[in-house]
PDB file of all heavy atoms in Angstrom:
ATOM      1  N   LEU A  14       3.860  -2.617   1.780  1.00  0.00           N
ATOM      2  CA  LEU A  14       2.391  -2.614   1.844  1.00  0.00           C
ATOM      3  C   LEU A  14       1.832  -4.029   1.764  1.00  0.00           C
ATOM      4  O   LEU A  14       0.896  -4.382   2.498  1.00  0.00           O
ATOM      5  CB  LEU A  14       1.825  -1.764   0.714  1.00  0.00           C
ATOM      6  CG  LEU A  14       1.912  -0.249   0.898  1.00  0.00           C
ATOM      7  CD1 LEU A  14       1.595   0.462  -0.401  1.00  0.00           C
ATOM      8  CD2 LEU A  14       0.980   0.208   2.013  1.00  0.00           C
ATOM      9  N   ARG A  15       2.372  -4.830   0.854  1.00  0.00           N
ATOM     10  CA  ARG A  15       1.869  -6.195   0.713  1.00  0.00           C
ATOM     11  C   ARG A  15       2.135  -7.019   1.972  1.00  0.00           C
ATOM     12  O   ARG A  15       1.297  -7.817   2.402  1.00  0.00           O
ATOM     13  CB  ARG A  15       2.520  -6.868  -0.498  1.00  0.00           C
ATOM     14  CG  ARG A  15       2.088  -6.302  -1.838  1.00  0.00           C
ATOM     15  CD  ARG A  15       0.590  -6.381  -2.023  1.00  0.00           C
ATOM     16  NE  ARG A  15       0.194  -6.037  -3.391  1.00  0.00           N
ATOM     17  CZ  ARG A  15      -1.053  -5.800  -3.753  1.00  0.00           C
ATOM     18  NH1 ARG A  15      -2.013  -5.854  -2.854  1.00  0.00           N
ATOM     19  NH2 ARG A  15      -1.347  -5.506  -5.003  1.00  0.00           N
ATOM     20  N   ALA A  16       3.310  -6.815   2.574  1.00  0.00           N
ATOM     21  CA  ALA A  16       3.631  -7.545   3.802  1.00  0.00           C
ATOM     22  C   ALA A  16       2.688  -7.149   4.928  1.00  0.00           C
ATOM     23  O   ALA A  16       2.204  -7.989   5.690  1.00  0.00           O
ATOM     24  CB  ALA A  16       5.084  -7.286   4.200  1.00  0.00           C
ATOM     25  N   ILE A  17       2.396  -5.855   5.047  1.00  0.00           N
ATOM     26  CA  ILE A  17       1.478  -5.391   6.093  1.00  0.00           C
ATOM     27  C   ILE A  17       0.077  -5.897   5.828  1.00  0.00           C
ATOM     28  O   ILE A  17      -0.652  -6.294   6.750  1.00  0.00           O
ATOM     29  CB  ILE A  17       1.504  -3.847   6.145  1.00  0.00           C
ATOM     30  CG1 ILE A  17       2.866  -3.379   6.646  1.00  0.00           C
ATOM     31  CG2 ILE A  17       0.399  -3.316   7.053  1.00  0.00           C
ATOM     32  CD1 ILE A  17       3.127  -1.909   6.439  1.00  0.00           C
ATOM     33  N   GLU A  18      -0.320  -5.914   4.566  1.00  0.00           N
ATOM     34  CA  GLU A  18      -1.658  -6.410   4.213  1.00  0.00           C
ATOM     35  C   GLU A  18      -1.828  -7.871   4.623  1.00  0.00           C
ATOM     36  O   GLU A  18      -2.879  -8.275   5.112  1.00  0.00           O
ATOM     37  CB  GLU A  18      -1.881  -6.256   2.715  1.00  0.00           C
ATOM     38  CG  GLU A  18      -3.251  -6.706   2.241  1.00  0.00           C
ATOM     39  CD  GLU A  18      -3.405  -6.571   0.733  1.00  0.00           C
ATOM     40  OE1 GLU A  18      -2.497  -6.013   0.081  1.00  0.00           O
ATOM     41  OE2 GLU A  18      -4.429  -7.035   0.211  1.00  0.00           O
ATOM     42  N   ARG A  19      -0.776  -8.665   4.448  1.00  0.00           N
ATOM     43  CA  ARG A  19      -0.869 -10.077   4.819  1.00  0.00           C
ATOM     44  C   ARG A  19      -0.822 -10.264   6.335  1.00  0.00           C
ATOM     45  O   ARG A  19      -1.514 -11.110   6.885  1.00  0.00           O
ATOM     46  CB  ARG A  19       0.267 -10.864   4.151  1.00  0.00           C
ATOM     47  CG  ARG A  19       0.190 -10.908   2.649  1.00  0.00           C
ATOM     48  CD  ARG A  19       1.163 -11.929   2.079  1.00  0.00           C
ATOM     49  NE  ARG A  19       2.524 -11.710   2.516  1.00  0.00           N
ATOM     50  CZ  ARG A  19       3.384 -10.893   1.910  1.00  0.00           C
ATOM     51  NH1 ARG A  19       2.993 -10.195   0.853  1.00  0.00           N
ATOM     52  NH2 ARG A  19       4.620 -10.762   2.350  1.00  0.00           N
ATOM     53  N   ALA A  20       0.026  -9.480   7.003  1.00  0.00           N
ATOM     54  CA  ALA A  20       0.178  -9.638   8.457  1.00  0.00           C
ATOM     55  C   ALA A  20      -1.029  -9.108   9.221  1.00  0.00           C
ATOM     56  O   ALA A  20      -1.361  -9.605  10.289  1.00  0.00           O
ATOM     57  CB  ALA A  20       1.445  -8.925   8.926  1.00  0.00           C
ATOM     58  N   LYS A  21      -1.669  -8.049   8.693  1.00  0.00           N
ATOM     59  CA  LYS A  21      -2.861  -7.452   9.298  1.00  0.00           C
ATOM     60  C   LYS A  21      -2.663  -7.049  10.768  1.00  0.00           C
ATOM     61  O   LYS A  21      -3.473  -7.386  11.631  1.00  0.00           O
ATOM     62  CB  LYS A  21      -4.062  -8.387   9.182  1.00  0.00           C
ATOM     63  CG  LYS A  21      -4.518  -8.626   7.754  1.00  0.00           C
ATOM     64  CD  LYS A  21      -5.723  -9.546   7.696  1.00  0.00           C
ATOM     65  CE  LYS A  21      -6.255  -9.676   6.286  1.00  0.00           C
ATOM     66  NZ  LYS A  21      -5.251 -10.148   5.315  1.00  0.00           N
ATOM     67  N   PRO A  22      -1.604  -6.316  11.106  1.00  0.00           N
ATOM     68  CA  PRO A  22      -1.473  -5.858  12.495  1.00  0.00           C
ATOM     69  C   PRO A  22      -2.568  -4.858  12.831  1.00  0.00           C
ATOM     70  O   PRO A  22      -2.901  -3.977  12.035  1.00  0.00           O
ATOM     71  CB  PRO A  22      -0.089  -5.196  12.523  1.00  0.00           C
ATOM     72  CG  PRO A  22       0.186  -4.826  11.102  1.00  0.00           C
ATOM     73  CD  PRO A  22      -0.503  -5.846  10.257  1.00  0.00           C
ATOM     74  N   ALA A  23      -3.147  -5.009  14.012  1.00  0.00           N
ATOM     75  CA  ALA A  23      -4.285  -4.170  14.385  1.00  0.00           C
ATOM     76  C   ALA A  23      -3.903  -2.708  14.552  1.00  0.00           C
ATOM     77  O   ALA A  23      -4.767  -1.839  14.524  1.00  0.00           O
ATOM     78  CB  ALA A  23      -4.897  -4.696  15.683  1.00  0.00           C
ATOM     79  N   CYS A  24      -2.610  -2.436  14.712  1.00  0.00           N
ATOM     80  CA  CYS A  24      -2.176  -1.067  14.997  1.00  0.00           C
ATOM     81  C   CYS A  24      -1.759  -0.292  13.752  1.00  0.00           C
ATOM     82  O   CYS A  24      -1.390   0.876  13.847  1.00  0.00           O
ATOM     83  CB  CYS A  24      -0.982  -1.111  15.959  1.00  0.00           C
ATOM     84  SG  CYS A  24       0.381  -2.137  15.326  1.00  0.00           S
ATOM     85  N   ALA A  25      -1.798  -0.921  12.576  1.00  0.00           N
ATOM     86  CA  ALA A  25      -1.080  -0.359  11.431  1.00  0.00           C
ATOM     87  C   ALA A  25      -1.885   0.605  10.578  1.00  0.00           C
ATOM     88  O   ALA A  25      -1.298   1.348   9.791  1.00  0.00           O
ATOM     89  CB  ALA A  25      -0.563  -1.494  10.543  1.00  0.00           C
ATOM     90  N   LYS A  26      -3.191   0.619  10.698  1.00  0.00           N
ATOM     91  CA  LYS A  26      -3.991   1.391   9.740  1.00  0.00           C
ATOM     92  C   LYS A  26      -3.604   2.873   9.746  1.00  0.00           C
ATOM     93  O   LYS A  26      -3.341   3.461   8.690  1.00  0.00           O
ATOM     94  CB  LYS A  26      -5.475   1.211  10.028  1.00  0.00           C
ATOM     95  CG  LYS A  26      -6.386   1.920   9.024  1.00  0.00           C
ATOM     96  CD  LYS A  26      -7.782   1.371   9.052  1.00  0.00           C
ATOM     97  CE  LYS A  26      -7.961   0.268   8.028  1.00  0.00           C
ATOM     98  NZ  LYS A  26      -9.353  -0.213   7.915  1.00  0.00           N
ATOM     99  N   GLU A  27      -3.546   3.500  10.919  1.00  0.00           N
ATOM    100  CA  GLU A  27      -3.201   4.913  10.978  1.00  0.00           C
ATOM    101  C   GLU A  27      -1.742   5.144  10.584  1.00  0.00           C
ATOM    102  O   GLU A  27      -1.406   6.160   9.980  1.00  0.00           O
ATOM    103  CB  GLU A  27      -3.479   5.468  12.375  1.00  0.00           C
ATOM    104  CG  GLU A  27      -4.959   5.536  12.722  1.00  0.00           C
ATOM    105  CD  GLU A  27      -5.766   6.275  11.666  1.00  0.00           C
ATOM    106  OE1 GLU A  27      -5.313   7.362  11.217  1.00  0.00           O
ATOM    107  OE2 GLU A  27      -6.835   5.781  11.257  1.00  0.00           O
ATOM    108  N   ARG A  28      -0.853   4.199  10.929  1.00  0.00           N
ATOM    109  CA  ARG A  28       0.554   4.343  10.552  1.00  0.00           C
ATOM    110  C   ARG A  28       0.698   4.316   9.037  1.00  0.00           C
ATOM    111  O   ARG A  28       1.471   5.092   8.470  1.00  0.00           O
ATOM    112  CB  ARG A  28       1.388   3.215  11.168  1.00  0.00           C
ATOM    113  CG  ARG A  28       1.531   3.273  12.674  1.00  0.00           C
ATOM    114  CD  ARG A  28       2.378   4.468  13.108  1.00  0.00           C
ATOM    115  NE  ARG A  28       3.647   4.536  12.417  1.00  0.00           N
ATOM    116  CZ  ARG A  28       4.717   3.818  12.749  1.00  0.00           C
ATOM    117  NH1 ARG A  28       4.655   2.990  13.774  1.00  0.00           N
ATOM    118  NH2 ARG A  28       5.847   3.951  12.081  1.00  0.00           N
ATOM    119  N   VAL A  29      -0.041   3.430   8.368  1.00  0.00           N
ATOM    120  CA  VAL A  29       0.040   3.369   6.905  1.00  0.00           C
ATOM    121  C   VAL A  29      -0.446   4.683   6.309  1.00  0.00           C
ATOM    122  O   VAL A  29       0.184   5.243   5.400  1.00  0.00           O
ATOM    123  CB  VAL A  29      -0.778   2.179   6.372  1.00  0.00           C
ATOM    124  CG1 VAL A  29      -0.902   2.244   4.858  1.00  0.00           C
ATOM    125  CG2 VAL A  29      -0.135   0.864   6.796  1.00  0.00           C
ATOM    126  N   ARG A  30      -1.539   5.201   6.826  1.00  0.00           N
ATOM    127  CA  ARG A  30      -2.060   6.477   6.307  1.00  0.00           C
ATOM    128  C   ARG A  30      -1.036   7.598   6.504  1.00  0.00           C
ATOM    129  O   ARG A  30      -0.826   8.434   5.622  1.00  0.00           O
ATOM    130  CB  ARG A  30      -3.364   6.828   7.023  1.00  0.00           C
ATOM    131  CG  ARG A  30      -4.558   5.984   6.590  1.00  0.00           C
ATOM    132  CD  ARG A  30      -5.846   6.606   7.093  1.00  0.00           C
ATOM    133  NE  ARG A  30      -7.008   5.855   6.637  1.00  0.00           N
ATOM    134  CZ  ARG A  30      -7.854   5.239   7.450  1.00  0.00           C
ATOM    135  NH1 ARG A  30      -7.674   5.267   8.750  1.00  0.00           N
ATOM    136  NH2 ARG A  30      -8.894   4.589   6.967  1.00  0.00           N
ATOM    137  N   ALA A  31      -0.413   7.614   7.682  1.00  0.00           N
ATOM    138  CA  ALA A  31       0.536   8.694   7.980  1.00  0.00           C
ATOM    139  C   ALA A  31       1.786   8.610   7.123  1.00  0.00           C
ATOM    140  O   ALA A  31       2.333   9.634   6.706  1.00  0.00           O
ATOM    141  CB  ALA A  31       0.911   8.644   9.465  1.00  0.00           C
ATOM    142  N   LEU A  32       2.259   7.407   6.851  1.00  0.00           N
ATOM    143  CA  LEU A  32       3.501   7.233   6.106  1.00  0.00           C
ATOM    144  C   LEU A  32       3.327   7.338   4.600  1.00  0.00           C
ATOM    145  O   LEU A  32       4.301   7.404   3.863  1.00  0.00           O
ATOM    146  CB  LEU A  32       4.130   5.879   6.452  1.00  0.00           C
ATOM    147  CG  LEU A  32       4.668   5.756   7.885  1.00  0.00           C
ATOM    148  CD1 LEU A  32       5.061   4.317   8.184  1.00  0.00           C
ATOM    149  CD2 LEU A  32       5.850   6.681   8.087  1.00  0.00           C
ATOM    150  N   LEU A  33       2.085   7.341   4.143  1.00  0.00           N
ATOM    151  CA  LEU A  33       1.846   7.375   2.699  1.00  0.00           C
ATOM    152  C   LEU A  33       1.194   8.681   2.273  1.00  0.00           C
ATOM    153  O   LEU A  33       0.193   8.700   1.570  1.00  0.00           O
ATOM    154  CB  LEU A  33       0.971   6.188   2.286  1.00  0.00           C
ATOM    155  CG  LEU A  33       1.700   4.844   2.245  1.00  0.00           C
ATOM    156  CD1 LEU A  33       0.731   3.728   1.955  1.00  0.00           C
ATOM    157  CD2 LEU A  33       2.813   4.868   1.212  1.00  0.00           C
ATOM    158  N   GLY A  34       1.770   9.771   2.747  1.00  0.00           N
ATOM    159  CA  GLY A  34       1.264  11.061   2.300  1.00  0.00           C
ATOM    160  C   GLY A  34       1.511  11.280   0.820  1.00  0.00           C
ATOM    161  O   GLY A  34       0.855  12.096   0.179  1.00  0.00           O
ATOM    162  N   ASN A  35       2.476  10.548   0.269  1.00  0.00           N
ATOM    163  CA  ASN A  35       2.796  10.672  -1.161  1.00  0.00           C
ATOM    164  C   ASN A  35       2.190   9.502  -1.931  1.00  0.00           C
ATOM    165  O   ASN A  35       2.868   8.796  -2.636  1.00  0.00           O
ATOM    166  CB  ASN A  35       4.315  10.714  -1.367  1.00  0.00           C
ATOM    167  CG  ASN A  35       5.005   9.532  -0.686  1.00  0.00           C
ATOM    168  OD1 ASN A  35       4.378   8.827   0.089  1.00  0.00           O
ATOM    169  ND2 ASN A  35       6.278   9.333  -0.985  1.00  0.00           N
ATOM    170  N   GLY A  36       0.905   9.293  -1.813  1.00  0.00           N
ATOM    171  CA  GLY A  36       0.273   8.125  -2.400  1.00  0.00           C
ATOM    172  C   GLY A  36       0.130   8.157  -3.901  1.00  0.00           C
ATOM    173  O   GLY A  36      -0.429   7.243  -4.489  1.00  0.00           O
ATOM    174  N   ALA A  37       0.625   9.206  -4.573  1.00  0.00           N
ATOM    175  CA  ALA A  37       0.495   9.267  -6.029  1.00  0.00           C
ATOM    176  C   ALA A  37       1.710   8.699  -6.744  1.00  0.00           C
ATOM    177  O   ALA A  37       1.815   8.803  -7.956  1.00  0.00           O
ATOM    178  CB  ALA A  37       0.281  10.711  -6.468  1.00  0.00           C
ATOM    179  N   MET A  38       2.658   8.124  -5.983  1.00  0.00           N
ATOM    180  CA  MET A  38       3.845   7.563  -6.634  1.00  0.00           C
ATOM    181  C   MET A  38       3.449   6.412  -7.561  1.00  0.00           C
ATOM    182  O   MET A  38       2.431   5.767  -7.382  1.00  0.00           O
ATOM    183  CB  MET A  38       4.827   7.046  -5.579  1.00  0.00           C
ATOM    184  CG  MET A  38       5.473   8.131  -4.748  1.00  0.00           C
ATOM    185  SD  MET A  38       6.783   7.449  -3.702  1.00  0.00           S
ATOM    186  CE  MET A  38       5.887   6.228  -2.761  1.00  0.00           C
ATOM    187  N   VAL A  39       4.302   6.149  -8.520  1.00  0.00           N
ATOM    188  CA  VAL A  39       4.105   5.029  -9.430  1.00  0.00           C
ATOM    189  C   VAL A  39       5.275   4.077  -9.276  1.00  0.00           C
ATOM    190  O   VAL A  39       6.423   4.497  -9.288  1.00  0.00           O
ATOM    191  CB  VAL A  39       3.988   5.501 -10.890  1.00  0.00           C
ATOM    192  CG1 VAL A  39       3.882   4.309 -11.825  1.00  0.00           C
ATOM    193  CG2 VAL A  39       2.801   6.422 -11.046  1.00  0.00           C
ATOM    194  N   ALA A  40       4.988   2.802  -9.085  1.00  0.00           N
ATOM    195  CA  ALA A  40       6.045   1.807  -8.923  1.00  0.00           C
ATOM    196  C   ALA A  40       6.192   1.003 -10.203  1.00  0.00           C
ATOM    197  O   ALA A  40       5.214   0.550 -10.776  1.00  0.00           O
ATOM    198  CB  ALA A  40       5.702   0.877  -7.765  1.00  0.00           C
ATOM    199  N   ASP A  41       7.417   0.823 -10.648  1.00  0.00           N
ATOM    200  CA  ASP A  41       7.696   0.035 -11.837  1.00  0.00           C
ATOM    201  C   ASP A  41       8.496  -1.189 -11.400  1.00  0.00           C
ATOM    202  O   ASP A  41       9.659  -1.086 -11.031  1.00  0.00           O
ATOM    203  CB  ASP A  41       8.501   0.867 -12.835  1.00  0.00           C
ATOM    204  CG  ASP A  41       8.681   0.135 -14.156  1.00  0.00           C
ATOM    205  OD1 ASP A  41       8.124  -0.971 -14.273  1.00  0.00           O
ATOM    206  OD2 ASP A  41       9.361   0.669 -15.029  1.00  0.00           O
ATOM    207  N   VAL A  42       7.872  -2.347 -11.387  1.00  0.00           N
ATOM    208  CA  VAL A  42       8.496  -3.562 -10.889  1.00  0.00           C
ATOM    209  C   VAL A  42       8.500  -4.591 -12.014  1.00  0.00           C
ATOM    210  O   VAL A  42       7.450  -5.100 -12.410  1.00  0.00           O
ATOM    211  CB  VAL A  42       7.736  -4.120  -9.677  1.00  0.00           C
ATOM    212  CG1 VAL A  42       8.467  -5.304  -9.081  1.00  0.00           C
ATOM    213  CG2 VAL A  42       7.548  -3.035  -8.625  1.00  0.00           C
ATOM    214  N   ASP A  43       9.689  -4.895 -12.532  1.00  0.00           N
ATOM    215  CA  ASP A  43       9.816  -5.900 -13.594  1.00  0.00           C
ATOM    216  C   ASP A  43       8.801  -5.666 -14.715  1.00  0.00           C
ATOM    217  O   ASP A  43       8.062  -6.553 -15.123  1.00  0.00           O
ATOM    218  CB  ASP A  43       9.662  -7.305 -13.034  1.00  0.00           C
ATOM    219  CG  ASP A  43      10.801  -7.669 -12.111  1.00  0.00           C
ATOM    220  OD1 ASP A  43      11.827  -6.960 -12.082  1.00  0.00           O
ATOM    221  OD2 ASP A  43      10.665  -8.676 -11.416  1.00  0.00           O
ATOM    222  N   ARG A  44       8.755  -4.426 -15.190  1.00  0.00           N
ATOM    223  CA  ARG A  44       7.888  -4.016 -16.302  1.00  0.00           C
ATOM    224  C   ARG A  44       6.405  -4.014 -15.954  1.00  0.00           C
ATOM    225  O   ARG A  44       5.586  -3.726 -16.821  1.00  0.00           O
ATOM    226  CB  ARG A  44       8.116  -4.900 -17.545  1.00  0.00           C
ATOM    227  CG  ARG A  44       9.549  -4.853 -18.077  1.00  0.00           C
ATOM    228  CD  ARG A  44       9.688  -5.756 -19.289  1.00  0.00           C
ATOM    229  NE  ARG A  44      11.064  -5.741 -19.784  1.00  0.00           N
ATOM    230  CZ  ARG A  44      11.480  -6.469 -20.804  1.00  0.00           C
ATOM    231  NH1 ARG A  44      10.629  -7.250 -21.456  1.00  0.00           N
ATOM    232  NH2 ARG A  44      12.739  -6.423 -21.200  1.00  0.00           N
ATOM    233  N   ALA A  45       6.078  -4.414 -14.767  1.00  0.00           N
ATOM    234  CA  ALA A  45       4.660  -4.350 -14.363  1.00  0.00           C
ATOM    235  C   ALA A  45       4.490  -3.102 -13.500  1.00  0.00           C
ATOM    236  O   ALA A  45       5.200  -2.899 -12.536  1.00  0.00           O
ATOM    237  CB  ALA A  45       4.269  -5.587 -13.568  1.00  0.00           C
ATOM    238  N   THR A  46       3.567  -2.273 -13.893  1.00  0.00           N
ATOM    239  CA  THR A  46       3.391  -0.995 -13.202  1.00  0.00           C
ATOM    240  C   THR A  46       2.168  -1.062 -12.304  1.00  0.00           C
ATOM    241  O   THR A  46       1.107  -1.497 -12.701  1.00  0.00           O
ATOM    242  CB  THR A  46       3.217   0.145 -14.216  1.00  0.00           C
ATOM    243  OG1 THR A  46       4.364   0.171 -15.058  1.00  0.00           O
ATOM    244  CG2 THR A  46       3.073   1.476 -13.511  1.00  0.00           C
ATOM    245  N   ALA A  47       2.358  -0.622 -11.079  1.00  0.00           N
ATOM    246  CA  ALA A  47       1.223  -0.586 -10.140  1.00  0.00           C
ATOM    247  C   ALA A  47       1.258   0.741  -9.413  1.00  0.00           C
ATOM    248  O   ALA A  47       2.301   1.176  -8.948  1.00  0.00           O
ATOM    249  CB  ALA A  47       1.315  -1.737  -9.149  1.00  0.00           C
ATOM    250  N   ARG A  48       0.183   1.386  -9.332  1.00  0.00           N
ATOM    251  CA  ARG A  48       0.127   2.630  -8.588  1.00  0.00           C
ATOM    252  C   ARG A  48       0.186   2.314  -7.086  1.00  0.00           C
ATOM    253  O   ARG A  48      -0.596   1.532  -6.568  1.00  0.00           O
ATOM    254  CB  ARG A  48      -1.154   3.385  -8.910  1.00  0.00           C
ATOM    255  CG  ARG A  48      -1.188   3.965 -10.312  1.00  0.00           C
ATOM    256  CD  ARG A  48      -2.449   4.776 -10.520  1.00  0.00           C
ATOM    257  NE  ARG A  48      -2.528   5.906  -9.599  1.00  0.00           N
ATOM    258  CZ  ARG A  48      -1.925   7.073  -9.800  1.00  0.00           C
ATOM    259  NH1 ARG A  48      -1.167   7.251 -10.862  1.00  0.00           N
ATOM    260  NH2 ARG A  48      -2.059   8.055  -8.943  1.00  0.00           N
ATOM    261  N   VAL A  49       1.114   2.959  -6.410  1.00  0.00           N
ATOM    262  CA  VAL A  49       1.265   2.738  -4.978  1.00  0.00           C
ATOM    263  C   VAL A  49      -0.018   3.094  -4.244  1.00  0.00           C
ATOM    264  O   VAL A  49      -0.421   2.436  -3.289  1.00  0.00           O
ATOM    265  CB  VAL A  49       2.463   3.545  -4.439  1.00  0.00           C
ATOM    266  CG1 VAL A  49       2.503   3.515  -2.913  1.00  0.00           C
ATOM    267  CG2 VAL A  49       3.753   3.002  -4.999  1.00  0.00           C
ATOM    268  N   SER A  50      -0.686   4.130  -4.726  1.00  0.00           N
ATOM    269  CA  SER A  50      -1.927   4.520  -4.062  1.00  0.00           C
ATOM    270  C   SER A  50      -2.968   3.413  -4.129  1.00  0.00           C
ATOM    271  O   SER A  50      -3.725   3.190  -3.185  1.00  0.00           O
ATOM    272  CB  SER A  50      -2.487   5.799  -4.686  1.00  0.00           C
ATOM    273  OG  SER A  50      -2.719   5.610  -6.067  1.00  0.00           O
ATOM    274  N   GLU A  51      -3.024   2.687  -5.239  1.00  0.00           N
ATOM    275  CA  GLU A  51      -3.982   1.589  -5.365  1.00  0.00           C
ATOM    276  C   GLU A  51      -3.620   0.443  -4.426  1.00  0.00           C
ATOM    277  O   GLU A  51      -4.492  -0.147  -3.785  1.00  0.00           O
ATOM    278  CB  GLU A  51      -4.012   1.097  -6.815  1.00  0.00           C
ATOM    279  CG  GLU A  51      -4.551   2.130  -7.792  1.00  0.00           C
ATOM    280  CD  GLU A  51      -4.421   1.676  -9.237  1.00  0.00           C
ATOM    281  OE1 GLU A  51      -3.880   0.563  -9.448  1.00  0.00           O
ATOM    282  OE2 GLU A  51      -4.843   2.427 -10.137  1.00  0.00           O
ATOM    283  N   VAL A  52      -2.326   0.131  -4.345  1.00  0.00           N
ATOM    284  CA  VAL A  52      -1.889  -0.923  -3.424  1.00  0.00           C
ATOM    285  C   VAL A  52      -2.180  -0.504  -1.983  1.00  0.00           C
ATOM    286  O   VAL A  52      -2.618  -1.306  -1.163  1.00  0.00           O
ATOM    287  CB  VAL A  52      -0.388  -1.214  -3.613  1.00  0.00           C
ATOM    288  CG1 VAL A  52       0.081  -2.307  -2.654  1.00  0.00           C
ATOM    289  CG2 VAL A  52      -0.102  -1.625  -5.046  1.00  0.00           C
ATOM    290  N   ALA A  53      -1.950   0.777  -1.681  1.00  0.00           N
ATOM    291  CA  ALA A  53      -2.223   1.273  -0.333  1.00  0.00           C
ATOM    292  C   ALA A  53      -3.702   1.159   0.002  1.00  0.00           C
ATOM    293  O   ALA A  53      -4.073   0.777   1.120  1.00  0.00           O
ATOM    294  CB  ALA A  53      -1.756   2.717  -0.201  1.00  0.00           C
ATOM    295  N   ASP A  54      -4.556   1.487  -0.942  1.00  0.00           N
ATOM    296  CA  ASP A  54      -6.001   1.371  -0.708  1.00  0.00           C
ATOM    297  C   ASP A  54      -6.386  -0.075  -0.403  1.00  0.00           C
ATOM    298  O   ASP A  54      -7.203  -0.341   0.483  1.00  0.00           O
ATOM    299  CB  ASP A  54      -6.776   1.872  -1.929  1.00  0.00           C
ATOM    300  CG  ASP A  54      -6.726   3.383  -2.060  1.00  0.00           C
ATOM    301  OD1 ASP A  54      -6.391   4.043  -1.060  1.00  0.00           O
ATOM    302  OD2 ASP A  54      -6.997   3.893  -3.165  1.00  0.00           O
ATOM    303  N   GLU A  55      -5.815  -1.016  -1.147  1.00  0.00           N
ATOM    304  CA  GLU A  55      -6.105  -2.433  -0.880  1.00  0.00           C
ATOM    305  C   GLU A  55      -5.644  -2.829   0.510  1.00  0.00           C
ATOM    306  O   GLU A  55      -6.345  -3.536   1.234  1.00  0.00           O
ATOM    307  CB  GLU A  55      -5.421  -3.298  -1.941  1.00  0.00           C
ATOM    308  CG  GLU A  55      -5.975  -3.144  -3.336  1.00  0.00           C
ATOM    309  CD  GLU A  55      -5.174  -3.953  -4.352  1.00  0.00           C
ATOM    310  OE1 GLU A  55      -4.402  -4.836  -3.916  1.00  0.00           O
ATOM    311  OE2 GLU A  55      -5.312  -3.709  -5.552  1.00  0.00           O
ATOM    312  N   ALA A  56      -4.443  -2.389   0.884  1.00  0.00           N
ATOM    313  CA  ALA A  56      -3.917  -2.729   2.205  1.00  0.00           C
ATOM    314  C   ALA A  56      -4.786  -2.135   3.302  1.00  0.00           C
ATOM    315  O   ALA A  56      -5.102  -2.799   4.299  1.00  0.00           O
ATOM    316  CB  ALA A  56      -2.477  -2.239   2.345  1.00  0.00           C
ATOM    317  N   LEU A  57      -5.191  -0.896   3.138  1.00  0.00           N
ATOM    318  CA  LEU A  57      -6.010  -0.236   4.162  1.00  0.00           C
ATOM    319  C   LEU A  57      -7.359  -0.924   4.320  1.00  0.00           C
ATOM    320  O   LEU A  57      -7.884  -1.025   5.423  1.00  0.00           O
ATOM    321  CB  LEU A  57      -6.195   1.238   3.807  1.00  0.00           C
ATOM    322  CG  LEU A  57      -4.953   2.117   4.002  1.00  0.00           C
ATOM    323  CD1 LEU A  57      -5.165   3.491   3.387  1.00  0.00           C
ATOM    324  CD2 LEU A  57      -4.609   2.248   5.480  1.00  0.00           C
ATOM    325  N   ARG A  58      -7.916  -1.396   3.215  1.00  0.00           N
ATOM    326  CA  ARG A  58      -9.195  -2.110   3.309  1.00  0.00           C
ATOM    327  C   ARG A  58      -9.032  -3.433   4.052  1.00  0.00           C
ATOM    328  O   ARG A  58      -9.955  -3.894   4.726  1.00  0.00           O
ATOM    329  CB  ARG A  58      -9.768  -2.359   1.911  1.00  0.00           C
ATOM    330  CG  ARG A  58     -10.398  -1.130   1.271  1.00  0.00           C
ATOM    331  CD  ARG A  58     -11.245  -1.506   0.062  1.00  0.00           C
ATOM    332  NE  ARG A  58     -10.460  -2.102  -1.004  1.00  0.00           N
ATOM    333  CZ  ARG A  58      -9.877  -1.413  -1.992  1.00  0.00           C
ATOM    334  NH1 ARG A  58     -10.002  -0.106  -2.031  1.00  0.00           N
ATOM    335  NH2 ARG A  58      -9.185  -2.025  -2.926  1.00  0.00           N
ATOM    336  N   ALA A  59      -7.861  -4.060   3.927  1.00  0.00           N
ATOM    337  CA  ALA A  59      -7.638  -5.362   4.563  1.00  0.00           C
ATOM    338  C   ALA A  59      -7.300  -5.250   6.037  1.00  0.00           C
ATOM    339  O   ALA A  59      -7.510  -6.197   6.800  1.00  0.00           O
ATOM    340  CB  ALA A  59      -6.510  -6.102   3.845  1.00  0.00           C
TER     341      ALA A  59
END
């Protein structure tokens, strides 16, 4: 998601929505927790 957010491909918005049907997952990265759905929302806005 972060890579797509930075690259900003014009074709990706619908693909991101389609691939993230499970947006309620929780990611635990080096003790820092981020909700995937929140990261997805940021990416979609960008």
Side-chain angles (χ1 to χ4, degrees):
L14 284 168
R15 291 303 189 192
I17 292 167
E18 182 182 353
R19 295 192 305 273
K21 294 181 175 57
C24 55
K26 183 161 267 186
E27 292 307 315
R28 291 292 308 279
V29 170
R30 286 193 177 117
L32 291 171
L33 285 175
N35 53 349
M38 291 188 302
V39 176
D41 186 3
V42 186
D43 293 347
R44 300 180 181 178
T46 302
R48 290 184 61 83
V49 171
S50 58
E51 294 173 359
V52 180
D54 287 343
E55 293 176 16
L57 287 170
R58 283 194 297 270

